[in-house]
Amino acid sequence: MERLAFGALAGLSATMAMTAAMRHLWPRLEPQDRYPLPPREIVEDTAPPAPERSKRLFSVLAHFGFGAVVGAAYALLPERRRNGVVYGLTVWAASYLGWLPGLGILKPATEHPVGRNLLMIAVHVVWGGTLAAALNELERSADEVFASGRAPDAKGEAQAE
């Protein structure tokens, strides 16, 4: 259970880094390619009609929710098999060449503009690298700074004089 929780938290952290990278790279796309990125496109295709504000919120929640779920899955991999960048690229390929076109939600990445594909690949590299670093920090923190031991600052602990 701890591994799943840490993986989900690392996935959320990685998704924040990914989102920042998306925001900073998106304006560099060619003008004709600057339309909403896949999280919003997926919501547009799968969610019921809703006000604009709701669609924006649902896009963000779905984006972070997916990041948390695949982050949790990463944490279940044996430590020796974990490579965040490779995992991020695998998530990109499985999503944009696999299940999203397979379910008829998006066209396959091979039919997306090159610049948008490069942006999405780059942000998945950011996501994967951040995921691995965040999970490592969470696991080490749990073993070190959050481990059991003497707690002299806790309420009720006797003060030594």
Side-chain angles (χ1 to χ4, degrees):
M1 189 64 171
E2 181 178 278
R3 290 178 93 182
L4 282 174
F6 287 174
L9 289 171
L12 289 171
S13 298
T15 304
M16 186 65 246
M18 175 191 213
T19 302
M22 292 165 102
R23 189 176 71 78
H24 288 281
L25 292 174
W26 185 81
R28 296 180 180 183
L29 291 172
E30 293 295 325
Q32 70 273 13
D33 295 336
R34 274 187 235 135
Y35 49 89
L37 291 175
R40 176 60 185 259
E41 290 182 302
I42 294 165
V43 165
E44 288 288 342
D45 192 71
T46 59
E52 172 61 22
R53 195 166 188 75
S54 297
K55 288 180 185 180
R56 286 193 335 236
L57 174 62
F58 190 60
S59 296
V60 171
L61 292 174
H63 179 55
F64 276 82
F66 185 73
V69 168
V70 292
Y74 175 78
L76 294 178
L77 293 174
E79 213 170 312
R80 69 185 184 289
R81 306 273 302 169
R82 291 188 205 162
N83 181 314
V85 171
V86 170
Y87 188 73
L89 290 170
T90 301
V91 169
W92 176 83
S95 298
Y96 296 100
L97 297 171
W99 69 270
L100 287 168
L103 293 174
I105 296 170
L106 291 179
K107 293 184 284 186
T110 54
E111 297 178 31
H112 297 198
V114 171
R116 286 175 66 87
N117 272 330
L118 291 174
L119 181 152
M120 293 306 294
I121 289 167
V123 300
H124 279 81
V125 167
V126 168
W127 181 83
T130 305
L131 174 68
L135 182 58
N136 182 54
E137 284 301 319
L138 284 168
E139 290 174 336
R140 291 185 70 188
S141 294
D143 290 342
E144 296 171 12
V145 300
F146 299 126
S148 64
R150 190 169 160 267
D153 297 330
K155 186 177 178 181
E157 183 71 21
Q159 287 293 109
E161 293 193 35

